[in-house]
Amino acid sequence: MVRTNWYKDAVVYQIYPRSFKDGNGDGMGDIKGIISKLDYLKDLGITAVWLSPCYMSPNDDNGYDISDYRDIDPQFGTLDDWKEMISGMHERGIKLIMDLVVNHSSDEHEWFKESRKSKDNPYRDYYFWRKGKGKNGKKPPNTWVSRFGGSAWEYDETTREYYLHLFSKKQPDLNWDNPKVRAEVQDIVKYWLDLGVDGFRCDVITYISKTEGLPNGFLGGDNMFTHGPNIHKYLNELNEKVLSKYDCMTVGEASGVTVEQALLYTGEDRHELDTVFQFEQVEANAYFRIIPKKVNLKKTKHVFSKWQAGLYGHGWNSLYLENHDQPRCVSRYIVDNPNMDDFCRKQSAKMLATAIYFQQGTPYIYQGQEIGMTNIEFENESDHVDIMARNILGQIKKYAPFLKRFALKVLDIFSRDNARTPMQWNADENAGFSDAEPWYRVNKNYKKINVEESYADKNSVLNFFKKLISIRKGNEIIIKGEYRELYDSHKDLYVYDRDYNGAKLRVICNFKNKDVKYADSAGMAYAGQSLILSNYDTDEKYEEVKVLKPYECRVYMFT
Ligand code: GLC
């Protein structure tokens, strides 16, 4: 099988199905809804969709807890609907990347139902079961902390043992050390590839190998379950047995990954994954790696440049600012106010896209990012519906109630609910997302920020994205060019070049809401130049640029 590495020239759009478009009027996004928007996706110019989970699930973590890996959850439709969707995508030249969530299953998966029945059940070793510690065995087996807060262990009465769950207690971790589990995963992957899927986004894939004996470790056990001892062996096996036989791609979610580790996961001679999502760009702007702090452009640029240089010629980057777990980028990087000045919002949404998507790598656009959607205003505690936010608040109320106000403040920007509000299609009731009351509140700014309005406005974020995507397509300098950062210590400007075959692309972005001086004295010894993209109306020549306006971005091409 020839692997074409098609992902190197792809532009991926992420769909979070419950919030994209409701097709059957029950307030929940679904597959019919996606089908009704395929022409929109084609018009946008994207060439692949990453679809967040739509498998059978009790939805404790919105589908990231799967109870049947081979079927579609009825709230999203049927397998036949799914087949219609993938054909519709393929007809339009759009590939489909499915979410592969196999670090854990749902506790309602048949395997777990069997596993918890008795200590000698054939499925017992599909999961991690351990005796409790302490006199009466009522203390968790180790000090690992769940990603959603609290102990990573849950006591189960039936067999009086604990099981491991690095996420919610309804997401028990699968035991990849058991060859039967690995064979099950291989079968699942093969099943979807045979149905025509083009790739997988591998959920929390760096957690699948746990250190033998499950020792306590540091930071809630992090170093004992991230990039564990057998991870490369297991990924290599999955690649050899299944992935290598298809022209597909993989992108692994890899929180905490360094450039060096990324090369181990994705090096072409290693036959594991194709690409990873790194989180250093998020961590650079956070306390303890997760609590968001004011964005520091210098640090962020440093991370971008480190990854660009580190993977050049050896690996491949994944370019993203948003996804279903991250705040909206205009809120995170610019101003966290859903009513922010509209001009600022639009200009900064375009500038941020330019800053990230001219780098080398595969661009990922999260639904709504292309119209500059923002975070929401949380008015009540009950507005937090995401399991992560609810668990964190639960733990705080139990152990440190005096921190509640602080926690709510952090959640304003940090909460995953920010990214999960229904897609804003038009100014009608429920933003055109559904005729019924949506499963989660629509952002109140939908009358102003929506797809229909974006089509009507020639200066919209959407029209800018369309242009950017069309410039990117098949453009060798963007795909292959070498990256070099300029003015790396500048605190407001992000400037970089892409060089290829004697041509140069220069990307200039002003992250400040003010005019910033730009006096490039180096001079450019090129015959031709053109301004191929900008977010203000200008035809200034490169050498005439003296000042960049608030959130201005420009891309010059020199030949
Ligand atoms: C990943 C997903 C997130 C989910 C978690 C557990 O981080 O992106 O949404 O909650 O894995 O599956």
Side-chain angles (χ1 to χ4, degrees):
M1 157 57 52
V2 182
R3 297 188 101 229
T4 60
N5 293 344
W6 55 264
Y7 61 86
K8 293 193 174 176
D9 191 18
V11 178
V12 186
Y13 186 88
Q14 185 193 349
I15 293 183
Y16 194 65
R18 64 178 47 228
S19 303
F20 188 61
K21 172 73 188 163
D22 177 12
N24 67 350
D26 64 356
M28 175 71 65
D30 49 36
I31 292 177
K32 287 267 186 237
I34 298 175
I35 295 173
S36 72
K37 293 296 178 188
L38 291 180
D39 286 335
Y40 169 72
L41 296 179
K42 176 151 172 73
D43 183 56
L44 182 57
I46 57 97
T47 58
V49 162
W50 151 25
L51 180 62
S52 278
C54 56
Y55 313 98
M56 200 72 92
S57 166
N59 289 301
D60 188 50
D61 183 18
N62 290 359
Y64 281 90
D65 47 319
I66 298 169
S67 53
D68 181 349
Y69 285 97
R70 289 181 173 77
D71 208 353
I72 301 297
D73 196 290
Q75 70 173 349
F76 295 129
T78 63
L79 194 57
D80 281 336
D81 295 335
W82 180 89
K83 286 180 182 163
E84 187 186 332
M85 176 191 75
I86 190 173
S87 326
M89 287 177 175
H90 286 166
E91 274 161 27
R92 291 169 179 80
I94 297 172
K95 297 197 185 279
L96 176 62
I97 299 167
M98 294 283 276
D99 223 301
L100 181 69
V101 190
V102 285
N103 171 68
H104 43 266
S105 72
S106 159
D107 66 338
E108 295 183 35
H109 193 289
E110 281 309 314
W111 301 332
F112 191 77
K113 286 193 200 156
E114 284 298 318
S115 184
R116 81 189 327 171
K117 278 186 187 159
S118 67
K119 289 185 188 166
D120 56 5
N121 188 285
Y123 287 90
R124 188 68 170 178
D125 285 344
Y126 270 46
Y127 299 88
F128 293 93
W129 290 97
R130 294 291 183 274
K131 279 201 187 61
K133 288 250 163 85
K135 248 198 272 149
N136 44 12
K138 283 293 175 69
K139 275 201 187 138
N142 70 20
T143 55
W144 294 5
V145 174
S146 148
R147 279 287 178 259
F148 292 163
S151 168
W153 294 92
E154 181 71 9
Y155 185 71
D156 199 51
E157 271 304 335
T158 320
T159 54
R160 303 214 173 107
E161 283 194 340
Y162 283 83
Y163 66 86
L164 176 69
H165 61 89
L166 291 177
F167 292 87
S168 97
K169 62 182 181 200
K170 285 185 68 60
Q171 294 168 298
D173 278 54
L174 283 161
N175 175 14
W176 278 64
D177 298 329
N178 180 349
K180 286 191 195 149
V181 168
R182 305 203 299 274
E184 299 270 15
V185 172
Q186 289 154 19
D187 271 3
I188 293 165
V189 171
K190 188 167 178 319
Y191 170 84
W192 288 104
L193 286 168
D194 288 338
L195 283 174
V197 159
D198 304 286
F200 296 95
R201 176 265 187 184
C202 309
D203 189 68
V204 291
I205 200 69
T206 51
Y207 293 2
I208 59 172
S209 167
K210 278 84 175 167
T211 303
E212 209 186 317
L214 313 182
N216 286 341
F218 306 116
L219 298 168
D222 225 84
N223 59 331
M224 293 298 157
F225 59 73
T226 318
H227 315 293
N230 292 313
I231 189 144
H232 296 295
K233 183 175 145 206
Y234 297 160
L235 290 175
N236 188 261
E237 183 186 56
L238 179 62
N239 187 298
E240 189 207 313
K241 297 218 158 130
V242 191
L243 297 167
S244 61
K245 306 200 162 100
Y246 297 80
D247 186 20
C248 65
M249 72 84 77
T250 48
V251 51
E253 186 195 21
S255 83
V257 76
T258 62
V259 168
E260 294 69 29
Q261 286 163 332
L263 289 170
L264 295 178
Y265 286 113
T266 64
E268 275 186 21
D269 50 339
R270 303 214 14 120
H271 309 289
E272 295 185 20
L273 300 172
D274 294 306
T275 53
V276 292
F277 285 119
Q278 52 88 1
F279 283 74
E280 276 196 71
Q281 66 192 61
V282 177
E283 288 159 11
N285 296 306
Y287 300 104
F288 310 112
R289 288 176 39 189
I290 51 170
I291 303 176
K293 64 178 176 194
K294 197 165 171 261
V295 170
N296 179 323
L297 181 64
K298 264 208 264 188
K299 276 197 190 166
T300 313
K301 294 195 297 186
H302 177 71
V303 172
F304 288 151
S305 297
K306 181 164 91 176
W307 279 85
Q308 285 294 303
L311 298 196
Y312 189 74
H314 307 288
W316 197 254
N317 273 288
S318 306
L319 312 173
Y320 75 99
L321 290 174
E322 292 186 12
N323 61 39
H324 65 292
D325 295 330
Q326 298 295 328
R328 292 294 184 177
C329 67
V330 286
S331 305
R332 182 66 186 102
Y333 288 85
I334 308 297
V335 192
D336 189 17
N337 176 358
N339 302 312
M340 72 191 280
D341 172 79
D342 214 38
F343 184 71
C344 280
R345 180 186 64 81
K346 285 174 161 172
Q347 292 302 73
S348 60
K350 297 173 195 173
M351 182 279 290
L352 289 168
T354 304
I356 188 97
Y357 297 135
F358 279 92
Q359 296 178 28
Q360 187 183 48
T362 302
Y364 288 82
I365 299 164
Y366 178 65
Q367 64 184 43
Q369 186 186 345
E370 79 278 22
I371 54 169
M373 277 176 65
T374 70
N375 279 359
I376 36 167
E377 240 160 334
F378 294 96
E379 284 153 13
N380 301 302
E381 206 182 307
S382 58
D383 290 339
H384 291 285
V385 300
D386 172 39
I387 175 119
M388 185 179 202
R390 280 193 285 114
N391 272 11
I392 291 173
L393 285 171
Q395 293 285 321
I396 294 235
K397 273 196 220 153
K398 197 157 150 199
Y399 299 110
F402 55 96
L403 286 178
K404 196 175 125 189
R405 270 181 57 168
F406 170 71
L408 283 169
K409 195 126 194 62
V410 171
L411 283 174
D412 276 349
I413 180 106
F414 179 60
S415 173
R416 307 193 300 180
D417 289 319
N418 279 309
R420 300 176 179 184
T421 60
M423 177 76 184
Q424 294 163 207
W425 293 104
N426 57 39
D428 297 348
E429 211 183 345
N430 306 325
F433 163 74
S434 173
D435 298 335
E437 194 188 330
W439 74 274
Y440 190 54
R441 47 205 288 250
V442 171
N443 196 320
K444 286 186 182 149
N445 59 23
Y446 75 93
K447 292 220 153 110
K448 192 173 67 183
I449 307 172
N450 62 63
V451 171
E452 202 171 283
E453 178 275 337
S454 305
Y455 269 111
D457 169 10
K458 83 173 189 344
N459 290 321
S460 67
V461 180
L462 180 70
N463 281 319
F464 187 89
F465 264 74
K466 281 171 70 169
K467 181 151 187 211
L468 189 158
I469 294 169
S470 72
I471 291 176
R472 235 192 168 271
K473 226 168 250 175
N475 193 328
E476 291 222 299
I477 195 165
I478 305 176
I479 298 167
K480 298 186 186 157
E482 201 162 338
Y483 167 101
R484 188 169 65 99
E485 190 187 344
L486 289 92
Y487 307 108
D488 57 349
S489 58
H490 203 295
K491 65 180 195 350
D492 300 321
L493 297 183
Y494 178 34
V495 185
Y496 61 89
D497 282 354
R498 302 292 310 279
D499 290 286
Y500 187 69
N501 258 352
K504 178 189 287 299
L505 206 93
R506 178 156 294 177
V507 180
I508 312 168
C509 296
N510 177 11
F511 273 69
K512 189 113 187 145
N513 190 13
K514 283 201 179 114
D515 285 0
V516 172
K517 265 215 274 202
Y518 181 81
D520 179 41
S521 51
M524 284 283 190
Y526 287 85
Q529 64 161 278
S530 52
L531 179 60
I532 59 169
L533 190 67
S534 65
N535 59 352
Y536 282 85
D537 201 10
T538 171
D539 54 8
E540 243 173 5
K541 292 232 160 39
Y542 178 75
E543 56 277 16
E544 292 164 4
V545 188
K546 297 283 177 280
V547 166
L548 292 164
K549 300 205 182 70
Y551 303 125
E552 180 162 12
C553 61
R554 298 183 183 206
V555 182
Y556 283 95
M557 173 79 135
F558 300 91
T559 50

